[in-house]
Amino acid sequence: MINLEGKVALVTGASRGIGRADALVLARAGADVVVTDILLESDLESRKLADTYGPLAKAMLQSGQVYTERTAEEIRAMGRRSAAYRMDVTDPEQVREVFARVKEEFGGLHILVNNAGTLDHLGQIENQKDELWQRDLQVNLTGAYNCCKAAWPIMKEQGDGRIVNMSSVAGTLGGFGQASYSTTKAGIIGLTKSLALEGARLGIRVNAVAPGIIGTEAFKMGTGHQERMIARTAFRRLGEPEDVAYAIAFLVSDLARYITGVVLHVSGGIELFTF
């Protein structure tokens, strides 16, 4: 029932995990999809950026778990238009350049999924690293702001825009040892609701999703507490990246045409009281 034919989507942080699943599911629903990430398989510059953005990005590149260009190839094999662009969401000028390129080459932009994020900064408050706090704010929160700001005039001109921002249950519940991550994901909710109000009369809908414990590549390389985290969910099992992607596909479709400013939990009930 979800039909996104004729729509152009851009997904940030789409080299793997939830972002990659988002891009593929949107394409299966009929959208043309631009795939962006700081990491591209064939781009030597990506290796330098991986060092800048921390051990998780570096580990993914070194282990061959970067699929930005491959994702675009898979989308084109479906008969959709696609391109893979390297984009640092913390660089406003680079973001504006990529969005202008998308408008020129694809004819517009109807769907933005702000998925790019960092989640490798763990430590109680006295052990939080100031430089990683600033990095997380820049990537997770300011990065989404930069992309929304670049997409806004395109969507306003079209009278048609659908934005989904990636929050987290850490942003609604808090996260032990995740002060920076939780703070940025809570901030995403405020950004989402404010832009939903601003966009309502312009034909722009803005929503957020709050995933719980999802079986991404990053989760599987985690800290050893995976089973304990899974046990907190009502379902007692991991979610899959596609579970989040299906929710996003609904929110950006016409089936959700009267929905804006919501935070949709895709969490297996982790926010419920379980025992």
Side-chain angles (χ1 to χ4, degrees):
M1 293 177 64
I2 293 177
N3 184 352
L4 300 177
E5 290 186 10
K7 304 301 182 184
V8 176
L10 185 149
V11 182
T12 71
S15 67
R16 63 184 185 275
I18 293 173
R20 171 171 155 81
D22 294 344
L24 293 173
V25 167
L26 293 176
R28 291 186 196 114
D32 298 324
V33 184
V34 177
V35 183
T36 74
D37 202 277
I38 58 167
L39 303 177
L40 270 67
E41 300 93 305
S42 66
D43 186 359
L44 295 178
E45 187 68 18
S46 293
R47 300 183 184 279
K48 298 177 184 178
L49 289 172
D51 290 335
T52 300
Y53 283 103
L56 182 59
K58 185 175 182 179
M60 291 299 172
L61 189 62
Q62 290 178 341
S63 62
Q65 297 185 83
V66 173
Y67 310 109
T68 314
E69 292 165 320
R70 175 176 165 181
T71 301
E73 291 171 3
E74 291 180 28
I75 292 169
R76 288 192 291 269
M78 299 178 198
R80 312 298 180 197
R81 295 183 297 164
S82 186
Y85 299 146
R86 183 167 64 83
M87 185 175 75
D88 178 354
V89 297
T90 71
D91 184 340
E93 183 177 352
Q94 188 178 117
V95 170
R96 287 191 294 269
E97 289 174 355
V98 169
F99 278 66
R101 184 176 177 184
V102 170
K103 181 181 179 183
E104 179 180 354
E105 296 182 1
F106 287 79
L109 177 65
H110 307 92
I111 298 165
L112 169 62
V113 180
N114 281 312
N115 173 75
T118 57
L119 49 75
D120 57 358
H121 182 203
L122 300 174
Q124 296 181 51
I125 186 63
E126 64 267 33
N127 296 318
Q128 288 268 303
K129 297 179 179 179
D130 294 347
E131 65 274 16
L132 292 182
W133 169 275
Q134 294 295 336
R135 179 205 64 176
D136 292 349
L137 288 174
Q138 287 297 312
V139 177
N140 296 353
L141 185 53
T142 303
Y145 161 82
N146 289 338
C147 291
C148 288
K149 191 171 184 180
W152 205 260
I154 303 173
M155 293 179 172
K156 181 178 178 180
E157 181 181 354
Q158 296 166 166
D160 180 8
R162 304 103 187 265
I163 297 174
V164 177
N165 294 321
M166 192 66 66
S167 183
S168 168
V169 294
T172 59
L173 303 177
F176 186 89
Q178 290 186 303
S180 63
Y181 182 73
S182 298
T183 298
T184 60
K185 294 306 183 179
I188 283 288
I189 294 173
L191 176 66
T192 296
K193 291 181 179 293
S194 296
L195 295 187
L197 284 167
E198 293 183 21
R201 297 175 186 176
L202 303 174
I204 303 173
R205 294 189 287 108
V206 188
N207 294 293
V209 294
I213 309 305
I214 306 298
T216 63
E217 296 92 338
F219 178 80
K220 294 170 184 177
M221 294 177 65
T223 59
H225 299 290
Q226 288 92 330
E227 292 304 319
R228 182 179 175 187
M229 296 165 73
I230 293 168
R232 277 206 55 181
T233 70
F235 287 153
R236 298 295 199 273
R237 62 176 174 83
L238 283 174
E240 297 298 331
E242 288 76 15
D243 295 324
V244 181
Y246 295 144
I248 290 173
F250 165 70
L251 287 173
V252 301
S253 76
D254 289 338
L255 297 178
R257 63 189 180 187
Y258 202 56
I259 299 174
T260 197
V262 306
V263 182
L264 176 59
H265 282 76
V266 186
S267 64
I270 200 171
E271 71 278 10
L272 303 175
F273 179 76
T274 58
F275 57 91

